[in-house]
Amino acid sequence: MSSPSIAVATGRLLDDSAVSTPYVAVTMGDGAGIGPEVTVAAVLDETILAECRPVVVGDASRLRAAAETIGRTIELRRIDAVEDAVFDGRTVNVFDLGLLPEDLPWGELSPVAGDAAYQYIKVASELAMAGKVQAICTAPLNKEALHAGGHVYPGHTELLAALTETEEVSMMLSTPKLRVIHVTTHIGLIDAVAKIEPGLVQRTIERGHEALVRAGIPQPRIGVAAINPHAGENGLFGYDEEAQKIAPGVEAARANGVDAVGPLPADTLFFLAGRGDYDLVVAMYHDQGHGPVKVLGIEAGVNITVGLPVIRTSVDHGTAFDIAGKNIADSRSMVEALHQAAEMATR
């Protein structure tokens, strides 16, 4: 897949105590966006290197350009297997696909970068499915570029489901104060309301429950949001969606031993969850869940795909073309995404 290392790194290898730390495949996202910058910063973060062994799937030349942009002196090591990687605090290990031109502009929509972003994810998912890495952590891709590159998926969540042949997955957003799982995501609001039905609500609740149990919360408390204002006010608002579409799913999950309550008015529910009354909110549609999380701060948010046969986390922000290549990007969300990938892989 790749040639010998660009610069063979020297220095301290992982010591014996770190042998059990998981490998995490880090996709660098759309090469025209801020993905390469936040990837370089995150994989060299000292706290991350103490928790896992990150290996990048991307383009070595773009990572070098990103390192220069953010003022980091790095060693780039092309690898063909995770066992080839070196972790010494300055080496970026990369499965180099070599798909981007050297003169790719920062901050401009590119079908080439969109196709490359897809290929990075494809390789990372193959590594995870083969057990070569224990988790995947993704930098942002651009949906328009992805489509222009010939890969028509609504986003990472649906793409990874297709690559791993998973029938149904859920998007979970996690912050230090709030966790949200979505019944529907990348579809229009009218289509989302039409898609919601008791079985989907139940499966989403139970996927969230299982994810939190695996994350170390043995009895998670789950609040389920309504669709309409005031949870429909007993039929005053909407067309009885709460009673017909949501409540039966909540009851079915409760019958299976899940501590779920709802449907509850969304505005009140997010307040209660933010103060700690609930471990997880089940949101009915994209903006219902994303809005409160992003008010808390994008840099703190992590996107987790629940239901895949592999662990996958991601930043909770986009490609930010307007600031790409300018050394402005904040890498904290990428660091947190890697931290949570390592934590889940360890568990």
Side-chain angles (χ1 to χ4, degrees):
M1 179 185 298
S2 59
S3 57
S5 63
I6 294 174
V8 178
T10 59
R12 184 179 60 82
L13 300 177
L14 283 173
D15 59 30
D16 291 341
S17 65
V19 170
S20 62
T21 56
Y23 285 106
V24 179
V26 184
T27 60
M28 76 173 206
D30 190 301
I34 64 172
E37 295 172 69
V38 298
T39 295
V40 169
V43 300
L44 295 180
D45 185 275
E46 290 183 2
T47 60
I48 293 303
L49 289 172
E51 296 177 330
C52 68
R53 291 174 281 183
V55 291
V56 181
V57 183
D59 270 53
S61 62
R62 199 60 170 178
L63 293 167
R64 182 179 293 284
E68 293 172 355
T69 295
I70 65 175
R72 292 292 297 264
T73 300
I74 66 170
E75 300 285 351
L76 270 169
R77 183 179 180 89
R78 289 191 178 105
I79 60 174
D80 292 306
V82 294
E83 294 82 6
D84 299 333
V86 170
F87 302 93
D88 57 8
R90 65 175 180 274
T91 298
V92 176
N93 300 281
V94 56
F95 289 92
D96 180 19
L97 273 60
L99 298 173
L100 300 179
E102 294 278 351
D103 59 351
L104 179 74
W106 293 105
E108 295 183 14
L109 186 77
S110 165
V112 173
D115 173 61
Y118 168 85
Q119 302 300 337
Y120 306 151
I121 299 162
K122 182 173 183 290
V123 170
S125 67
E126 290 169 352
L127 289 168
M129 292 295 283
K132 301 298 183 182
V133 299
Q134 286 68 61
I136 300 170
C137 181
T138 59
L141 54 72
N142 181 281
K143 296 177 182 65
E144 187 177 353
L146 181 71
H147 292 184
H151 310 288
V152 184
Y153 296 93
H156 266 123
T157 303
E158 298 82 2
L159 172 53
L160 280 159
L163 288 171
T164 59
E165 298 182 352
T166 305
E167 184 175 346
E168 189 175 274
V169 297
S170 298
M171 176 189 293
M172 180 186 289
L173 303 181
S174 176
T175 75
K177 290 188 66 175
L178 183 67
R179 300 180 191 87
V180 182
I181 192 168
H182 295 70
V183 174
T184 67
T185 49
H186 296 119
I187 55 177
L189 184 55
I190 292 174
D191 295 330
V193 174
K195 184 176 180 179
I196 296 166
E197 51 86 20
L200 179 57
V201 171
Q202 177 190 352
R203 293 191 298 275
T204 304
I205 294 169
E206 291 178 351
R207 272 193 290 271
H209 170 86
E210 180 183 359
L212 266 60
V213 170
R214 292 180 62 185
I217 303 173
Q219 296 179 315
R221 299 159 299 168
I222 300 175
V224 182
I227 295 173
N228 296 298
H230 301 185
E233 198 80 73
N234 295 317
L236 181 62
F237 305 126
Y239 297 91
D240 212 24
E241 289 91 351
E242 279 69 30
Q244 295 181 15
K245 290 173 171 285
I246 303 175
V250 176
E251 290 305 313
R254 287 181 60 84
N256 287 338
V258 178
D259 183 4
V261 179
L264 302 172
D267 52 358
T268 304
L269 172 56
F270 279 103
F271 165 74
L272 295 174
R275 77 177 187 185
D277 291 14
Y278 295 100
D279 300 301
L280 177 68
V281 171
V282 179
M284 291 297 121
Y285 52 90
H286 183 280
D287 284 13
Q288 186 183 58
H290 276 63
V293 169
K294 292 193 175 182
V295 166
L296 292 174
I298 288 177
E299 72 281 351
V302 174
N303 184 332
I304 302 168
T305 306
V306 180
L308 291 172
V310 299
I311 293 167
R312 179 263 174 164
T313 66
S314 182
V315 294
D316 185 30
H317 59 70
T319 47
F321 280 168
D322 57 324
I323 63 170
K326 298 178 181 179
N327 192 22
I328 299 174
D330 189 330
S331 64
R332 283 180 291 176
S333 181
M334 193 69 177
V335 170
E336 182 60 25
L338 262 170
H339 163 69
Q340 293 203 29
E343 188 174 62
M344 287 189 288
T346 301
R347 288 185 183 278

